[in-house]
């Protein structure tokens, strides 16, 4: 894209705002060169990366990125065989590796949900062993530590000892008796890397030694006593050895860096990319930006704000700018100072920002297409040096746009027909509109021309918007109103700003024929549009309220269903527990009856208690899975009581009797509900509450297996006992005699049997047994 378009839409200023938020000079350089991309996939990827880091920062806080040095030249120097970087350079590399390691540690456990950021973090290959080696060997000022090697430590210890000895002897000589007249200072100094004494010029010959230097004034000679020459020589040799060892260590450390050059270059690139991405994320958070959806065609910018106006601290009124898919452009009209140019710049700038990977200051739901070129012709481009008028400068720029046009393109034009005859300017603007509309371009134009406004309003492929204006107060409202035409209000504003009334009236009279009628028509159109917008708003609010009530009703219904299901489960559970309890008590009662420790009265009491507990368990509101038929119950109906299903045998007043298999249960009619005919009959266990008073006194066991026959016999005797029978007959047949033998053995131990005998011949003889029931 052209540099002049970036500047015309002030993208360079936004770029500078973002660059200032980075930590390193390297990232600032990258951001300062940031340009819009024309690759839709790259744009989506960059936007997603920025959105991911914004979300990560919202959860984890600021990233630990501090300023770090540019590693490229240092790594290039270290890559040369035999190179020895200085201590300061190695400290820079050490600090960079530590910074990368800290950032890697911070992000490693947090980036799994953010694949684009995670891809950058994977290139943070900070080698810990290199950082540890540099930390052990170097002080923060770049000096090698004594512990960098054993040899260096030994040499430095010797140097300190020798130096201390020499300094002590020289200081003792400076303070000796009688030397006061010949010394100029009582400090041992160093000249030419040798320890010397400062002596006055006239007395230097009184001390045997070598003159190493002379003061600037010439009054002091720095003399190395002859006795100190050997000691100074020894010190210099030790210093040379220590320097050689230091160079060897620096070469060794540089070689270690050389072994990690590839990893360090990848790490540096990742650090710069993360620093730049972090600056973009900080910008997005500071300017309340969103990630726009990249679409094939059209522009939708709800709640769009110009970031430079936000940065200035001024109140920014959001605008809703849109060019629907399939439309070719938008024409913005309205008064001066109403914000037409700001609206144009906002559309163009936010498109550039998105294509550069910057989130945009707009509301959720923003959509943008990716353009191969974004061109702008905005402002007065008059040039005295180039001998160009305003109109000529615009035409030159338009010519260059045509020459460099790459489709799809976004073209921003501010009053393109200005600076010449209004009729010709309007004709030129209409021609430009139609030209770009016929190409794969979106065009956004600001105009005062009535002809251009009407052309846009009547053409199907163009949007018409007006900058909102308070006609009574004559002040701009800086909002865009879609699907309407704006008036310029030039004469009204001139009157309010104090232009003489006679001039304003004369101007109104001099307007072309039909201008007044057009203004009246536009005013009526705007009033109707405002009324329609109000009604649409009311309908939208009403629809939203209805949807809200529907959601609440559905939620209530769901809660009621959940409560009913919970109640069903509760009743089933309690019913199961009650039936199990009754069964246990019945078994216990039966055992006691067999032991003849319970009377019939006790058994009846158990049945009445069970009936009461069933009544308590199944309240009237818990008729679960009952039929919705509300007709009165009648004898013979299938009914449900809790989880028990049976047939209604009797219905008298406040008492009902239902049958379940061989059992009868007496309950209140209010506890019963008609059973659903589609539901299979429940297989709930039998509960004997009121004894069935059957007249049957005979049991036929012929052909049954012994175990089944004995179970049937026990139930038969139990029923006979409850119905107060004194004698019953059991038919078992003769056969092999196994069944009759088992029956008689059972009767011999049964508490229900007082005695038994073989039946009379006319009652079955050996094939039947007569049993006397115990009293």
């Amino acid at each position: 894209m052209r540099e002049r378009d970036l500047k015309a839409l002030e993208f360079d200023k936004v770029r500078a705002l973002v660059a200032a938020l980075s930590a390193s000079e390297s990232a600032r350089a990258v951001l300062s060169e940031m340009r819009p991309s024309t690759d839709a996939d790259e744009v989506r990827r960059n936007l997603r990366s920025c959105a991911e880091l914004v979300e990560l920062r919202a959860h984890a806080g600021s990233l630990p990125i501090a300023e770090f040095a540019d590693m490229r030249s240092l790594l290039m120097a270290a890559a040369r065989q035999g190179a020895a970087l200085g201590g300061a350079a190695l400290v820079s590399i050490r600090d960079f590796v530590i910074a990368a390691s800290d950032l890697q540690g911070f992000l490693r456990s947090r980036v799994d949900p953010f694949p684009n950021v995670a891809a950058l973090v994977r290139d943070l290959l900070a080698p810990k062993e290199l950082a540890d080696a540099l930390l052990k060997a170097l002080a923060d000022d770049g000096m090698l530590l004594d512990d960098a090697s054993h040899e260096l430590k030994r040499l430095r210890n010797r140097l300190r000892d020798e130096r201390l000895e020499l300094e002590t002897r020289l200081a003792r000589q400076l303070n000796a008796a009688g030397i006061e007249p010949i010394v100029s200072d009582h400090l041992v100094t160093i000249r030419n890397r040798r320890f010397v004494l400062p002596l006055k010029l006239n007395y230097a010959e009184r001390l045997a030694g070598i003159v190493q230097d002379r003061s600037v004034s010439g009054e002091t000679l720095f003399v190395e006593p002859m006795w100190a020459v050997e000691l100074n020589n020894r010190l210099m040799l030790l210093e040379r050895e220590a320097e050689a060892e230091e160079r060897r260590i620096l070469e060794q450390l540089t070689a270690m860096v050389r072994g990690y050059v590839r990893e360090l270059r990848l790490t540096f690139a990742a650090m710069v990319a993360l620093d730049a991405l972090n600056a973009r994320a900080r910008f997005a958070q500071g300017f309340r930006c969103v990630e726009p959806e990249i679409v094939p065609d059209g522009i939708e910018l709800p709640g769009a704000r110009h970031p430079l106006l936000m940065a200035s601290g001024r109140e920014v009124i959001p605008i809703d700018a849109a060019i629907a898919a399939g439309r070719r452009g938008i024409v913005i009209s309205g008064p001066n100072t109403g914000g037409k140019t700001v609206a144009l710049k906002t559309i163009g700038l936010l498109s550039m920002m998105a294509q550069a990977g910057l989130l945009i200051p707009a509301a959720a739901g923003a959509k943008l297409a990716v353009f191969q070129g974004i061109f702008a012709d905005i402002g007065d481009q008059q040039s005295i040096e180039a001998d160009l008028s305003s109109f000529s400068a615009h035409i030159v720029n338009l010519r260059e746009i045509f020459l460099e046009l790459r489709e799809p393109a976004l073209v921003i034009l501010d009053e393109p027909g200005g600076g010449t005859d209004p009729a010709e300017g309007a004709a030129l603007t209409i021609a430009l509109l139609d030209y770009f509309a016929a190409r794969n371009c979106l065009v956004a134009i600001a105009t005062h021309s009535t002809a251009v406004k009407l052309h846009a309003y009547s053409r199907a492929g163009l949007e018409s918007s007006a900058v909102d204006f308070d006609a009574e107060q004559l002040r701009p409202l800086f909002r865009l109103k879609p699907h309407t035409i704006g008036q310029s209000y030039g004469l009204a504003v001139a009157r309010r700003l104090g232009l003489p009334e006679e001039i304003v009236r004369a101007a109104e009279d001099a307007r072309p024929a039909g201008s007044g009628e057009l203004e009246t028509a536009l005013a009526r159109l705007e009033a109707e549009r405002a009324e329609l917008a109000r009604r649409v708003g009311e309908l939208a609010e009403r629809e939203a309220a209805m949807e809200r009530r529907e959601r609440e009703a559905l939620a209530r219904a769901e809660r009621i269903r959940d409560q009913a299901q919970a109640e069903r489960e509760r009743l089933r559970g309690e019913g199961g527990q009650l039936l199990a309890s009754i069964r246990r008590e019945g078994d216990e009662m039966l055992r006691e009856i067999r032991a003849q420790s319970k009377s019939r009265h006790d058994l009846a009491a158990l049945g009445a208690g069970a009936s009461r507990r069933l009544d308590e368990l199944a309240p009237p509101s818990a008729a679960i899975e009952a039929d919705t038929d509300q007709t009165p119950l009648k004898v013979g109906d299938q009914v449900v009581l809790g989880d028990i299903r049976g047939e209604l045998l009797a219905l008298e007043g406040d008492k009902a009797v239902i049958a379940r298999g061989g059992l009868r249960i007496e309950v209140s009619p209010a506890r019963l509900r008609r059973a659903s005919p589609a539901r299979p009959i429940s297989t709930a266990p039998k509960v004997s509450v009121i004894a069935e008073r059957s007249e049957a006194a005979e049991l036929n066991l012929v052909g049954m297996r012994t175990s089944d026959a004995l179970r049937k016999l026990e139930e038969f005797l139990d029923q006979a006992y409850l119905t107060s029978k004194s004698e019953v007959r059991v038919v078992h047949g003769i056969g092999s005699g196994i069944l009759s033998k088992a029956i008689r053995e059972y009767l011999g131990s049964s508490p229900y049997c007082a005695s038994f005998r073989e039946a009379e011949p006319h009652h079955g003889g050996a094939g039947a047994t007569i049993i006397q029931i115990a009293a």
Side-chain angles (χ1 to χ4, degrees), residues 16-329:
L17 287 177
V18 179
L21 298 174
S22 61
S24 66
E25 189 59 40
S26 300
R28 281 191 286 275
V30 169
L31 292 170
S32 297
E33 298 299 321
M34 177 172 54
R35 298 178 71 86
S37 169
T38 57
D39 184 329
D41 291 335
E42 181 182 0
V43 170
R44 289 188 182 94
R45 185 169 57 252
N46 291 338
L47 290 172
R48 187 87 287 274
S49 298
C50 190
E52 286 181 359
L53 193 56
V54 169
E55 186 177 349
L56 190 152
R57 286 173 56 90
H59 287 89
S62 300
L63 270 60
I65 298 182
E67 186 172 0
F68 54 90
D70 189 339
M71 293 289 105
R72 287 171 294 187
S73 59
L74 295 179
L75 295 178
M76 186 180 297
R80 293 195 296 270
Q81 198 67 31
L85 296 180
L90 290 170
V91 166
S92 294
I93 294 174
R94 180 199 70 186
D95 292 345
F96 168 74
V97 173
I98 292 173
S101 179
D102 290 343
L103 182 59
Q104 181 191 46
F106 178 84
L107 291 173
R108 186 187 300 116
S109 61
R110 296 176 168 90
V111 297
D112 286 344
F114 310 109
N116 291 280
V117 179
L120 294 175
V121 175
R122 281 195 291 271
D123 285 340
L124 291 177
L125 306 173
K128 182 179 184 300
E129 56 274 17
L130 175 61
D132 291 343
L134 294 174
L135 278 170
K136 181 180 178 181
L138 292 164
D140 289 342
D141 60 359
M143 295 296 294
L144 283 169
L145 299 172
D146 291 353
D147 291 330
S149 75
H150 295 298
E151 180 64 12
L152 182 62
K153 187 172 185 178
R154 184 187 69 79
L155 290 172
R156 284 184 174 178
N157 285 339
R158 281 195 61 193
L159 267 172
R160 278 190 287 269
D161 293 344
E162 298 273 353
R163 189 179 289 119
L164 179 61
E165 179 184 354
L166 180 55
E167 285 186 271
T168 301
R169 291 181 63 181
L170 288 171
R172 191 180 302 125
Q173 186 168 3
L174 278 176
N175 294 311
I179 201 172
E180 177 72 25
I182 70 172
V183 299
S184 61
D185 196 353
H186 287 275
L187 292 176
V188 177
T189 59
I190 297 176
R191 287 294 185 273
N192 299 326
R193 300 182 65 176
R194 303 177 75 85
F195 286 90
V196 295
L197 298 176
L199 302 180
K200 293 179 181 178
L201 178 65
N202 297 333
Y203 295 95
E205 67 275 3
R206 294 181 56 181
L207 179 66
I210 300 172
V211 176
Q212 293 290 348
D213 201 0
R214 183 175 182 172
S215 66
V216 176
S217 64
E219 297 298 321
T220 300
L221 295 178
F222 297 97
V223 179
E224 177 185 12
M226 292 304 297
W227 61 265
V229 171
E230 180 61 26
L231 294 177
N232 270 319
N233 289 342
R234 199 158 64 216
L235 278 177
M236 288 189 67
L237 289 175
L238 285 174
E239 287 175 353
R240 294 292 185 273
E241 290 183 47
E243 288 172 359
E245 177 63 12
E246 288 172 355
R247 179 169 180 81
R248 186 192 69 79
I249 294 171
L250 292 175
E251 287 178 350
Q252 187 180 46
L253 293 174
T254 303
M256 192 173 185
V257 172
R258 187 181 308 118
Y260 288 105
V261 162
R262 176 184 171 278
E263 289 85 348
L264 292 174
R265 282 174 175 162
L266 286 172
T267 301
F268 175 72
M271 283 286 286
V272 172
L274 283 168
D275 188 8
L277 182 61
N278 188 54
R280 288 157 51 199
R282 290 179 62 190
F283 176 87
Q285 287 179 305
F287 286 81
R288 306 189 306 281
C289 297
V290 300
E291 177 187 7
E293 179 186 355
I294 300 302
V295 295
D297 186 24
I299 290 175
E300 188 171 344
L301 293 173
R305 290 157 282 125
H306 197 292
L308 295 181
L309 292 180
M310 298 175 69
S312 68
R314 296 162 56 185
E315 179 185 3
V316 180
I317 299 174
I319 64 170
D320 297 328
I323 303 175
R327 298 270 181 158
R328 303 318 317 151

Side-chain angles (χ1 to χ4, degrees), residues 499-736:
L499 198 66
E501 180 63 24
E502 60 270 20
I503 296 178
V504 175
R505 280 200 300 270
E508 291 173 342
D509 294 339
R511 286 181 299 179
S515 296
E517 290 81 355
L518 178 60
E519 287 187 3
T520 302
L522 290 177
R524 188 183 307 116
L525 176 65
E526 174 58 21
E528 292 176 355
R529 188 205 65 82
E531 177 63 19
L532 178 61
R534 184 186 65 78
R535 293 186 180 182
V536 169
E538 290 178 354
L539 288 173
E541 290 179 3
R542 197 173 306 161
E543 183 178 356
M546 291 178 65
E547 290 179 354
R548 186 170 59 253
R549 286 195 294 271
E550 183 179 356
R551 288 194 300 270
E552 292 172 354
L554 290 174
R556 282 197 300 272
E558 186 65 26
R559 287 196 300 271
I560 291 170
R561 281 195 296 270
D562 291 344
Q563 292 169 359
Q565 180 63 27
E567 183 66 12
R568 280 194 292 270
E569 296 299 328
R570 183 186 70 79
L571 289 173
R572 286 194 182 101
E574 292 183 3
Q577 293 173 4
L578 175 59
L579 292 174
S581 174
I582 292 174
R583 188 179 296 112
R584 286 194 302 271
E585 293 180 12
D587 290 345
E588 181 65 26
M589 180 73 73
L590 183 58
R591 284 193 294 271
E592 292 181 0
I593 289 172
R594 289 172 179 171
Q596 296 187 353
S597 61
K598 285 285 182 180
S599 68
R600 291 185 176 88
H601 176 74
D602 295 328
L603 184 61
L606 170 64
S611 177
R612 286 194 302 273
R613 291 164 67 184
L614 284 172
D615 284 352
E616 293 170 359
L617 178 65
S621 61
I624 300 168
E625 298 182 1
D627 194 359
T628 55
D629 188 355
Q630 299 300 313
T631 59
L633 296 174
K634 62 182 182 297
V635 173
D637 285 347
Q638 291 291 317
V639 293
V640 291
L641 171 65
D643 277 351
I644 300 173
R645 180 186 178 107
E647 180 184 355
L648 182 60
L649 296 180
L651 185 60
E652 299 176 359
D654 59 352
K655 183 175 71 173
V657 178
I658 65 173
R660 165 71 178 178
L663 307 179
R664 291 186 179 187
I665 302 173
E666 183 178 315
V667 296
S668 169
R671 308 298 180 187
L672 300 178
R673 289 293 182 271
R674 190 185 312 279
S676 172
R679 181 174 176 85
I681 296 177
S682 173
T683 58
K686 296 179 180 180
V687 180
S688 179
V689 179
I690 295 179
E692 182 180 5
R693 300 191 177 274
S694 172
E695 297 301 324
E698 182 178 287
L699 176 64
N700 189 348
L701 301 177
V702 176
M704 297 182 67
R705 290 186 300 177
T706 301
S707 58
D708 294 337
L710 292 179
R711 186 171 63 254
K712 286 286 187 180
L713 177 60
E714 183 178 10
E715 293 176 357
F716 176 68
L717 294 176
D718 179 65
Q719 193 72 8
Y721 179 85
L722 291 175
T723 54
S724 302
K725 287 189 170 45
S726 59
E727 185 180 272
V728 294
R729 184 168 73 107
V730 176
V731 180
H732 43 71
I734 299 175
S736 62

Side-chain angles (χ1 to χ4, degrees), residues 294-601:
I294 300 302
V295 295
D297 186 24
I299 290 175
E300 188 171 344
L301 293 173
R305 290 157 282 125
H306 197 292
L308 295 181
L309 292 180
M310 298 175 69
S312 68
R314 296 162 56 185
E315 179 185 3
V316 180
I317 299 174
I319 64 170
D320 297 328
I323 303 175
R327 298 270 181 158
R328 303 318 317 151
I330 183 172
V331 173
I332 302 174
S333 55
N336 289 319
T337 71
K340 296 189 301 300
T341 301
V342 172
L344 289 179
K345 285 188 173 183
T346 302
I347 293 171
L349 177 59
L350 267 56
S351 296
M352 282 185 172
M353 288 173 59
Q355 291 188 215
L358 294 173
L359 304 190
I360 59 173
K367 298 177 182 179
L368 289 168
V370 172
F371 302 102
Q372 295 300 307
I374 299 177
F375 302 93
D377 185 67
I378 294 177
D380 186 359
Q381 302 177 30
Q382 183 177 15
S383 173
I384 296 175
E385 293 82 0
D387 193 23
L388 292 175
S389 66
S390 296
F391 180 76
S392 299
H394 284 297
I395 297 301
V396 170
N397 188 25
L398 287 170
R399 182 192 64 194
E400 293 177 0
I401 291 175
F402 295 139
L403 292 174
E404 298 189 30
L405 190 64
R406 298 292 182 273
E407 300 176 15
L410 173 63
V411 182
I412 309 290
L413 303 177
D414 187 17
E415 294 288 350
T420 188
D421 177 76
E424 291 185 350
L428 176 62
T429 303
I430 291 172
L432 290 170
L433 266 173
D434 292 344
Y435 175 84
F436 288 120
R439 308 282 294 269
N440 188 13
C441 300
L442 294 185
V443 59
I445 289 181
T447 185
H448 283 289
S449 169
T450 300
V452 176
K453 298 175 192 177
L454 294 175
H455 179 77
Y457 197 77
S458 61
R459 185 179 173 108
L462 298 174
E463 304 274 7
S464 290
S465 291
V467 176
D468 207 356
F469 191 78
D470 187 338
E472 295 183 1
Q473 300 294 325
L474 295 179
R475 61 185 181 87
L477 300 177
F478 304 104
R479 293 190 297 261
L480 276 184
K481 298 184 299 182
H483 316 306
T484 190
I485 296 174
Q487 300 183 54
S488 295
Y489 294 103
L491 296 180
V493 172
R495 177 180 284 114
R496 185 171 186 232
L497 293 178
L499 198 66
E501 180 63 24
E502 60 270 20
I503 296 178
V504 175
R505 280 200 300 270
E508 291 173 342
D509 294 339
R511 286 181 299 179
S515 296
E517 290 81 355
L518 178 60
E519 287 187 3
T520 302
L522 290 177
R524 188 183 307 116
L525 176 65
E526 174 58 21
E528 292 176 355
R529 188 205 65 82
E531 177 63 19
L532 178 61
R534 184 186 65 78
R535 293 186 180 182
V536 169
E538 290 178 354
L539 288 173
E541 290 179 3
R542 197 173 306 161
E543 183 178 356
M546 291 178 65
E547 290 179 354
R548 186 170 59 253
R549 286 195 294 271
E550 183 179 356
R551 288 194 300 270
E552 292 172 354
L554 290 174
R556 282 197 300 272
E558 186 65 26
R559 287 196 300 271
I560 291 170
R561 281 195 296 270
D562 291 344
Q563 292 169 359
Q565 180 63 27
E567 183 66 12
R568 280 194 292 270
E569 296 299 328
R570 183 186 70 79
L571 289 173
R572 286 194 182 101
E574 292 183 3
Q577 293 173 4
L578 175 59
L579 292 174
S581 174
I582 292 174
R583 188 179 296 112
R584 286 194 302 271
E585 293 180 12
D587 290 345
E588 181 65 26
M589 180 73 73
L590 183 58
R591 284 193 294 271
E592 292 181 0
I593 289 172
R594 289 172 179 171
Q596 296 187 353
S597 61
K598 285 285 182 180
S599 68
R600 291 185 176 88
H601 176 74

